[in-house]
Each structure stands twice: as structure tokens, then as C-alpha cells.
């Protein structure tokens, strides 16, 4: 099942993508695709709906972030072997964690806004994990029981903010529009093995990233279990599980994103995103 949110920013409504690729309105069934809708019981109810009885959403309607009520976005750094190699860094012995501000969340096709004083804007296609059940000290064997589904994430980064000066990752990751989510939340029953997914990204039609989640150093189950040792994961929380090789930071010369460029990215079975880059106008 593919769940989504549609409509103007801040006024999104819940929906689902039916088997014919038509967006159907779920607002008469649930209030939003948020924490209360992500339990196994609610997802089973939604799965049993006769989608043809649900109203169609007009073509061309904006798609918003695929999940609402996110209390935190937890990210894993250097979680692909080839990405660690291109960064000139040793593979970590345990997951490297950082956060993105929830104010960075945006729709999958909303523009990415280069923040004021940005000079080194970068892309990162990632597999997102959406938590469906409170996770605290979870064993790896039970990790999937706490996952509602998966989505595409672009972990947009400003490398000068991240690495230079005081070198704090969170400030290079948290600007408005730096966390496009979606287009869909694909429930876990449709992704039997999250370690076999192709993920890719293009800039202005030029391939930049093309890899597979099989290259992850720490698997989805390991990541969920590990994070739950240090913080409680709540329904609706998002884990960005790391990016593969091919980011601008790992290339010479660095092809930093510029206003006017367009990113297209996706994960097989989880949908595609498309974002134009715009300059800060505030």
C-alpha cells in the first residue's frame, strides 16, 4: 500500500495511490497520514478498503511530505561502503548519528531553497524508514515490527555549514526544504527486503548516484535497533539511513548545486522526487 498526503503546504489531506496509479482521498477514513494512522491495525483497515469507492484526487495536485507529525528525523552518516571510501574515511565501527530539524521537511517535488550565504549545496538520495510503533531498546530480530514503511529522502546538505568553521553536521542539514519526503509511504509488506533496493539521483539529467542498499554497512534492522538504545523512536519518526557514493563532496572538482538546476531521484518501488534549486529570496 502506498500512502501519501496531498494539497497546499500546511493543509495536506491523506490519500493513497491505487493499483491504477490514481490518487484516492482518505480524509473520510483517517485525519492524516500521521502517528495515529501508522499502527498495524489501522494499516490493515486501510488495506481492506474498496479504493474505487474513494474520491479521486485531481491530476496535478501537489504532493506533500508523505508523513505528518514527525517528532524527529534521525540520520545515519557514512553508512555505505563506497561513500565512506569516496570520503576518504574508514568505515565506522558503529552507526554515526545526527539529526535534521523537522522544519526542514518538505514535499517530494517542492523546490530546494539554497539558504542565505550557501556556497556548497549538495545532494544525498537515501532510504527513509518510517516508524509505526514506539521503539525503545529493540532487538534486531524485532526491528521490522516497529516499521510502518519506507520512503525516498533527499538529505540535502550545505557542506560549508556542515564541515567548515565549527563543523556541526546538524546546521548543514537543517535548513528549510532540506528534507524532501515521499512521494509515498510504502508499507513494509510491499518491501520484503529493504537491503535489495536500487537508489539513484540525477542533476540536470546527468547521473550522479546509482547504487543499492545492499552496500549499506549497517542494515535497516541494525540501524533501528541501534538508535532505539539511545532515544525513543515514536510513530511517525523518520530515519534517513545514509547515502551511497556520488555526492558532490566526493567529486573533484565539486559540482555544487546552483540555483536553476534540477534534481531527480528515486528508489525502485518507492517512487521518484524532482526538485528545482532556488536562491534564497528573504
Amino acid at each position: 500500500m502506498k500512502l501519501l498526503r496531498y494539497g497546499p503546504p500546511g493543509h495536506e489531506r491523506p490519500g493513497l495511490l491505487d493499483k491504477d496509479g490514481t490518487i484516492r482521498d482518505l480524509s473520510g477514513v483517517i485525519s492524516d497520514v500521521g502517528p495515529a494512522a501508522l499502527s498495524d491495525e489501522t494499516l490493515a483497515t486501510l488495506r481492506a478498503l474498496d479504493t474505487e469507492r474513494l474520491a479521486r484526487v485531481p491530476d496535478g495536485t501537489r504532493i506533500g511530505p508523505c508523513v505528518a507529525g514527525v517528532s524527529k528525523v534521525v540520520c545515519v552518516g557514512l553508512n555505505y561502503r563506497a561513500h565512506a571510501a569516496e570520503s576518504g574515511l574508514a568505515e565506522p565501527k558503529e552507526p554515526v548519528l545526527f539529526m535534521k530539524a523537522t522544519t526542514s521537511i518538505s514535499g517530494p517535488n517542492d523546490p530546494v531553497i539554497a539558504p542565505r550565504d550557501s556556497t556548497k549545496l549538495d545532494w544525498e538520495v537515501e532510504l527513509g524508514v518510517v516508524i509505526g510503533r514506539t521503539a525503545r531498546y529493540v532487538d534486531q530480530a524485532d526491528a521490522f515490527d516497529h516499521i510502518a514503511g519506507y520512503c525516498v529522502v533527499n538529505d540535502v546538505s550545505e557542506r560549508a555549514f556542515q564541515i567548515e568553521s565549527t563543523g556541526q553536521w546538524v546546521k548543514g542539514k537543517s535548513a528549510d526544504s532540506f528534507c524532501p519526503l515521499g512521494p509515498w509511504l510504502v508499507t513494509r509488506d510491499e518491501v520484503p527486503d529493504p537491503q535489495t533496493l536500487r537508489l539513484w539521483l540525477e542533476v540536470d539529467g546527468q547521473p550522479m548516484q546509482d547504487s543499492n542498499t545492499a552496500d549499506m554497512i549497517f542494515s535497516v534492522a541494525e540501524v533501528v535497533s541501534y538508535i532505539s538504545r539511545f532515544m525513543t523512536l515514536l510513530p511517525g519518526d523518520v530515519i534517513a539511513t545514509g547515502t551511497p557514493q556520488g555526492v558532490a563532496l566526493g567529486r573533484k572538482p565539486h559540482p555544487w548545486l546552483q540555483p536553476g538546476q534540477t534534481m531527480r531521484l528515486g528508489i525502485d518501488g518507492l517512487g521518484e522526487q524532482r526538485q528545482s534549486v532556488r536562491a534564497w529570496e528573504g
Side-chain angles (χ1 to χ4, degrees):
M1 185 166 54
K2 296 178 174 66
L3 302 176
L4 54 91
R5 302 171 67 245
Y6 68 91
H11 300 280
E12 290 93 348
R13 297 161 66 95
L16 62 78
L17 193 75
D18 70 15
K19 58 181 174 49
D20 298 320
T22 300
I23 298 176
R24 301 284 183 166
D25 178 35
L26 278 177
S27 57
V29 184
I30 55 174
S31 60
D32 209 342
V33 181
L38 299 178
S39 68
D40 287 346
E41 294 76 17
T42 301
L43 293 178
T45 298
L46 297 178
R47 201 172 286 114
L49 292 173
D50 180 355
T51 58
E52 293 187 0
R53 293 180 176 271
L54 301 173
R56 292 171 175 259
V57 175
D59 293 342
T61 301
R62 171 187 175 268
I63 303 299
C66 61
V67 62
V70 180
S71 80
K72 52 188 167 292
V73 180
V74 188
C75 306
V76 184
L78 296 174
N79 196 27
Y80 281 73
R81 295 174 181 86
H83 177 50
E86 76 173 351
S87 301
L89 299 170
E91 294 182 11
K93 301 299 183 184
E94 56 187 85
V96 176
L97 304 182
F98 63 94
M99 311 285 276
K100 291 177 85 80
T102 55
T103 48
S104 69
I105 293 173
S106 60
N109 303 316
D110 292 345
V112 166
I113 309 300
R116 184 186 297 172
D117 302 322
S118 171
T119 58
K120 298 179 179 179
L121 194 63
D122 206 347
W123 57 81
E124 294 188 27
V125 61
E126 306 200 6
L127 172 65
V129 175
V130 181
I131 298 298
R133 172 180 158 196
T134 299
R136 186 184 297 113
Y137 297 110
V138 173
D139 290 335
Q140 284 186 39
D142 300 323
F144 291 111
D145 294 338
H146 296 77
I147 295 173
Y150 304 91
C151 66
V152 181
V153 179
N154 190 354
D155 176 18
V156 183
S157 307
E158 213 300 332
R159 301 300 191 185
F161 296 177
Q162 176 189 352
I163 298 170
E164 300 171 12
S165 186
T166 52
Q168 298 172 25
W169 282 30
V170 67
K171 73 181 186 184
K173 302 281 190 170
S174 293
D176 293 352
S177 77
F178 271 27
C179 189
L181 297 180
W184 317 309
L185 188 168
V186 180
T187 52
R188 72 173 187 269
D189 58 300
E190 291 199 14
V191 185
D193 186 355
Q195 304 307 145
T196 60
L197 301 174
R198 175 178 174 256
L199 64 175
W200 53 271
L201 181 144
E202 301 172 350
V203 177
D204 289 344
Q206 180 178 352
M208 293 295 183
Q209 294 183 279
D210 194 339
S211 186
N212 192 288
T213 54
D215 192 46
M216 280 186 183
I217 298 169
F218 305 103
S219 69
V220 166
E222 289 176 291
V223 164
V224 171
S225 175
Y226 181 84
I227 294 172
S228 76
R229 291 167 49 191
F230 302 100
M231 65 191 82
T232 298
L233 293 167
L234 299 175
D237 284 352
V238 175
I239 301 172
T241 56
T243 199
Q245 77 279 9
V247 298
L249 182 65
R251 296 171 177 268
K252 298 293 189 299
H254 305 299
W256 306 119
L257 288 166
Q258 302 297 323
Q261 290 188 300
T262 298
M263 289 177 283
R264 181 170 167 261
L265 59 145
I267 300 177
D268 287 359
L270 303 188
E272 297 183 8
Q273 301 183 356
R274 185 181 182 92
Q275 298 117 24
S276 60
V277 181
R278 297 184 185 175
W280 169 265
E281 297 178 352

